[in-house]
């Protein structure tokens, strides 16, 4: 399994406007460096501690994406350098990220995570909840976060129709927000699609696919440090 070969081959199959985000959680810095040397600059991690450690040792022009659930007390560790947070799943989290970003004089790119999957464990706003927040202009005062779009995970299932239905729900929500509310041009990303389902996500209008195992191989979670 060679991550550079895999990355190259997958990239060839994607439309030009779709970002291939390499999800490097549990993988060593050396592998990230190899992909970096090939030209990849966007990497995704889901644990704050692991992300911070990798940031320390790897090239500083990497765009680091926080893709996993973020606890409010951990925000401060990644705010100085994180490129995009995909996992804004409550208004309270958005407010806390905004506060920390203000402290650091930054404007941080954020995606709003939508819960469309059947599974109980997935975080995120329901489409109705998010629509209400836009109706009430709830994000307007948060000047230090830039809302760049939506993020979602589909149910982990072999039922392609279910996955398709969930991705298209996200796309419809995106379109409806764009039509009904004064949202800027920067609200243009739909981050959806993982190793098992990204071809469906791309068909449904994804602009960022988050791929781990199809690039790096299966993960060994015993290598991941700390439950943070
Ligand atoms: C781990 C992870 C991915 C990548 O998963 P693969 O199935 O290995 O591609 C994508 N998105 C999120 C939020 C993840 O936690």
């Amino acid at each position: 399994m060679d991550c550079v070969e895999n990355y190259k081959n997958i990239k060839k199959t994607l439309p030009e406007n779709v970002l291939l985000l390499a999800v490097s959680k549990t993988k060593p810095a050396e592998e990230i460096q190899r992909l970096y040397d090939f030209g990849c600059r966007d990497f995704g991690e889901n644990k704050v501690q692991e992300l911070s450690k990798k940031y320390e040792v790897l090239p500083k022009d990497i765009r680091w994406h926080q893709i996993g659930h973020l606890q409010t007390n951990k925000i401060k560790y990644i705010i100085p350098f994180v490129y995009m947070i995909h996992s804004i799943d409550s208004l309270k989290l958005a407010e806390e990220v905004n506060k920390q970003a203000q402290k650091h004089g930054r404007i941080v790119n954020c995606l709003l995570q939508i819960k469309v999957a059947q599974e109980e464990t997935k975080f995120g706003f329901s489409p109705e909840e998010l629509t209400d927040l836009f109706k009430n202009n709830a994000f307007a005062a948060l000047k230090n976060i830039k809302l760049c779009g939506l993020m979602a995970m589909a149910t982990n299932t072999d039922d392609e129709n279910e996955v398709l239905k969930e991705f298209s729900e996200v796309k419809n929500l995106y379109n409806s927000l764009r039509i009904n509310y004064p949202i800027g041009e920067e609200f243009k990303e739909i981050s959806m699609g993982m190793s098992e389902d990204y071809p469906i996500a791309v068909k449904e209008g994804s602009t960022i696919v988050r791929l781990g195992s199809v690039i790096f191989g299966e993960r060994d979670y015993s290598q991941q440090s700390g439950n943070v």
Side-chain angles (χ1 to χ4, degrees):
M1 200 75 163
D2 178 63
C3 62
V4 173
E5 278 306 308
N6 295 338
Y7 180 87
K8 249 198 277 191
N9 289 333
I10 295 165
K11 204 165 163 50
K12 265 188 269 178
T13 69
L14 295 174
E16 220 160 88
N17 67 319
V18 174
L19 174 71
L20 172 44
L21 175 59
V23 175
S24 48
K25 61 191 187 197
T26 77
K27 301 297 174 181
E30 298 75 54
E31 280 202 64
I32 297 173
Q33 183 70 50
R34 290 197 53 227
L35 263 191
Y36 176 90
D37 292 339
F38 173 72
C40 178
R41 291 293 178 273
D42 291 272
F43 292 91
E45 293 280 338
N46 69 338
K47 306 271 183 192
V48 164
Q49 191 179 337
E50 187 175 346
L51 176 54
S52 304
K53 272 191 194 158
K54 286 172 173 172
Y55 167 75
E56 290 297 325
V57 300
L58 283 157
K60 291 296 175 281
D61 61 338
I62 285 180
R63 292 184 287 263
W64 290 105
H65 298 243
Q66 167 70 24
I67 61 172
H69 177 64
L70 185 55
Q71 289 170 264
T72 49
N73 61 335
K74 304 272 164 59
I75 299 169
K76 57 179 182 286
Y77 300 112
I78 60 170
I79 279 299
F81 66 87
V82 71
Y83 174 71
M84 183 177 272
I85 298 172
H86 291 229
S87 46
I88 301 295
D89 54 15
S90 69
L91 181 58
K92 178 167 178 285
L93 182 61
E95 289 168 344
E96 286 297 319
V97 168
N98 182 67
K99 200 158 96 188
Q100 293 291 332
Q102 197 171 13
K103 260 191 204 163
H104 285 84
R106 292 199 67 204
I107 294 176
V108 175
N109 299 318
C110 290
L111 302 179
L112 300 164
Q113 183 170 351
I114 309 304
K115 182 177 161 24
V116 285
Q118 298 300 320
E119 292 140 22
E120 273 306 312
T121 53
K122 299 261 154 81
F123 293 98
F125 299 97
S126 72
E128 298 73 27
E129 197 183 350
L130 190 65
T131 303
D132 277 346
L133 288 172
F134 274 89
K135 215 176 273 175
N136 296 326
N137 238 339
F139 299 103
L142 309 180
K143 301 295 183 206
N144 288 74
I145 64 177
K146 187 202 262 186
L147 293 184
C148 299
L150 303 179
M151 179 273 216
M153 272 187 267
T155 303
N156 184 7
T157 171
D158 292 332
D159 181 353
E160 292 201 356
N161 286 327
E162 176 61 28
V163 172
L164 182 72
K165 190 187 106 208
E166 292 172 2
F167 285 151
S168 92
E169 203 179 327
V170 178
K171 177 73 191 199
N172 290 340
L173 174 64
Y174 173 84
N175 287 338
S176 125
L177 293 174
R178 286 301 300 258
I179 291 167
N180 293 307
Y181 302 98
I183 296 170
E185 280 304 307
E186 68 274 8
F187 196 84
K188 62 179 169 35
E189 309 292 353
I190 303 181
S191 167
M192 59 186 186
M194 303 172 37
S195 291
E196 293 299 320
D197 56 23
Y198 74 92
I200 305 175
V202 169
K203 269 189 220 151
E204 285 308 301
S206 168
T207 65
I208 305 177
V209 290
R210 308 179 309 269
L211 304 187
S213 35
V214 279
I215 297 174
F216 295 103
E218 290 304 314
R219 282 179 292 274
D220 177 358
Y221 281 100
S222 67
Q223 297 300 305
Q224 194 168 35
S225 54
N227 185 29
V228 290

